[in-house]
Amino acid sequence: MKRIVVKIGSNVLTRTDGKLDITRMSAIVDQTVWLRDHGYEVILVSSGSMAAGRDELSVAHKLDSVSQRQLFSALGQVKLVGLYYDLFREYSIHIGQVLTMKESFSTRGEYLNQRACMNVMLENGVVPIVNENDTTSVTELMFTDNDELAGLVASMMDADTLVILTNVDGIFNGNPADKNTRVIPMVNYDRDLSEYIQASKSHFGRGGMMTKANIARKVADEGIKVIIANGQTDNILQQLAERPQQTMHTEFRPNPNPTTQVKKWIAHSESFAKGVVHINEKARTALESDKATSLLLVGVTSIEGDFEEGDIVNVVDPSGTIIAIGRSGYSSEEAKKNIGVHDIKPLIHYDYLYME
């Protein structure tokens, strides 16, 4: 059975007046059921709680952005999941709510707990509906947006495909307003598309197309096909499954030699890092070679931060660029004592090292 993660953006589920688009939501549920009937396991990562909450309550006094998000998402999440419950119940399908935070992906134990939870839901025919817990996630603890969350979920759940539904047909090779501009249909996982993308954010969401492209590249690098398509197109999910060649979208070809499950977790962990490890030029050259190389303390020049054995650290080359992320084999205190020492266990073993 193929496993697919579908991320539904705010601009797909929100009308121009800022209210929830129930008709669109119903259409996506219909398509999700069609996918299940055609051999797919589906996980939905759904935005829309803010729009649903705004529609429920008119606030007399001015709220700051964090308070507003907490209030409206707390109200709206109940309504959003209630609507999904009613829509899926028409097909006698159960749904389960998964509210998560960035911190919940930062330790291997919590990561595996979340994966086990969603696996048992799928095994029992339940559709997981995932969203960020905006009531407790604030500022630096937040995901960039639900694209980042969807990428983490697709990676964690070993999905075959991640579909990011937005309000445009894909990534264009210029300004979408220009009539000569075309959607880029297919790109390799390692292709940089920044020259084509305008750095603008969506009207209702937090992230723009640059975020989507960066997430797509990282997830495709892990061996997962990524599709960016227009969620406002009728039957888009069915069309992508049945007639991909005739359906407008941008597809990121997956890396044919994907990394291990542990490294997939580490790949998304840069923002969870508890410390920074600075290395010399010789160590950088060794890590970037084609050989499987661990990071040895003899190649470390300095260490920042306070971390324990097993925590995530970023590896920085002499120019100050993050070139790798890894799971430390030492506490920061032990590591600092052993900088430059030969013939001891690696600071980061190759199995727990992901090259950027």
Side-chain angles (χ1 to χ4, degrees):
M1 185 173 280
K2 294 176 183 174
R3 182 172 289 180
I4 181 171
V5 173
V6 180
K7 184 264 178 173
I8 312 158
S10 299
N11 273 338
V12 176
L13 289 181
T14 310
R15 303 186 323 207
T16 51
D17 62 3
K19 294 182 178 181
L20 208 59
D21 189 335
I22 310 297
T23 305
R24 181 70 54 201
M25 200 170 162
S26 178
I28 286 168
V29 168
D30 293 343
Q31 293 172 69
T32 301
V33 174
W34 183 91
L35 286 171
R36 281 170 52 100
D37 290 343
H38 287 78
Y40 291 88
E41 286 183 327
V42 186
I43 299 167
L44 297 182
V45 177
S46 179
S47 303
S49 60
M50 282 281 288
R54 273 196 209 97
D55 201 17
E56 284 294 297
L57 183 69
S58 179
V59 181
H61 56 285
K62 190 171 175 61
L63 293 171
D64 62 66
S65 60
V66 171
S67 299
Q68 198 176 113
R69 192 176 66 251
Q70 289 177 316
L71 174 63
F72 288 145
S73 60
L75 274 167
Q77 192 62 34
V78 176
K79 182 178 179 181
L80 185 73
V81 171
L83 285 165
Y84 276 123
Y85 174 83
D86 289 338
L87 290 165
F88 275 107
R89 188 171 58 172
E90 291 179 18
Y91 292 98
S92 300
I93 292 173
H94 296 285
I95 65 161
Q97 177 177 264
V98 180
L99 288 177
T100 188
M101 298 186 298
K102 201 168 192 174
E103 279 188 323
S104 302
F105 290 86
S106 64
T107 67
R108 186 75 178 146
E110 286 184 271
Y111 182 90
L112 294 174
N113 283 341
Q114 287 187 106
R115 191 172 75 178
C117 171
M118 285 194 233
N119 271 326
V120 78
M121 289 166 76
L122 292 170
E123 286 163 9
N124 287 278
V126 177
V127 177
I129 298 181
V130 188
N131 200 358
E132 181 171 14
N133 188 353
D134 280 323
T135 58
T136 53
S137 297
V138 292
T139 58
E140 74 278 359
L141 298 180
M142 291 165 65
F143 294 103
T144 308
D145 61 11
N146 271 352
D147 297 319
E148 184 184 6
L149 172 56
L152 276 160
V153 170
S155 176
M156 178 177 75
M157 298 306 295
D158 279 331
D160 298 286
T161 305
L162 167 63
V163 178
I164 298 175
L165 295 181
T166 182
N167 62 336
V168 292
D169 292 328
I171 297 177
F172 289 81
N173 62 0
N175 186 342
D178 186 337
K179 64 180 182 180
N180 296 318
T181 304
R182 297 285 179 269
V183 168
I184 302 168
M186 186 85 70
V187 292
N188 276 337
Y189 66 92
D190 54 357
R191 169 90 180 276
D192 183 4
L193 295 173
S194 56
E195 63 182 292
Y196 298 120
I197 299 171
Q198 297 177 313
S200 60
K201 292 191 176 180
S202 63
H203 186 57
F204 294 110
R206 292 203 299 269
M209 191 54 79
M210 186 67 80
T211 304
K212 289 172 176 54
N214 289 338
I215 295 295
R217 283 179 62 202
K218 182 166 278 189
V219 173
D221 186 30
E222 294 160 13
I224 299 167
K225 179 167 73 177
V226 183
I227 290 170
I228 298 175
N230 195 332
Q232 296 175 350
T233 300
D234 289 342
N235 290 317
I236 185 64
L237 295 174
Q238 188 174 337
Q239 287 187 46
L240 288 168
E242 288 192 313
R243 299 181 296 279
Q245 304 298 332
Q246 290 83 47
T247 305
M248 197 85 82
H249 68 283
T250 298
E251 178 181 320
F252 287 74
R253 283 194 197 97
N255 183 349
N257 301 302
T259 186
T260 64
Q261 183 63 43
V262 171
K263 288 197 178 191
K264 283 183 181 182
W265 166 61
I266 292 169
H268 290 272
S269 298
E270 182 181 323
S271 60
F272 312 140
K274 299 285 181 65
V276 179
V277 176
H278 295 266
I279 61 172
N280 59 29
E281 190 62 32
K282 190 174 179 182
R284 184 191 68 79
T285 303
L287 290 181
E288 292 182 342
S289 71
D290 293 332
K291 291 170 64 178
T293 306
S294 299
L295 176 59
L296 306 177
L297 279 157
V298 70
V300 174
T301 55
S302 66
I303 290 170
E304 297 173 34
D306 183 16
F307 53 87
E308 298 300 322
E309 180 181 346
D311 283 345
I312 296 294
V313 293
N314 289 331
V315 179
V316 173
D317 70 8
S319 71
T321 303
I322 296 175
I323 64 162
I325 310 158
R327 193 178 186 185
S328 176
Y330 294 83
S331 68
S332 52
E333 188 179 348
E334 287 178 295
K336 285 172 185 173
K337 285 178 187 172
N338 288 294
I339 287 175
V341 176
H342 288 267
D343 300 327
I344 55 174
K345 74 173 183 177
L347 174 57
I348 304 172
H349 189 276
Y350 172 75
D351 290 345
Y352 301 100
L353 182 73
Y354 177 82
M355 298 302 294
E356 285 278 65

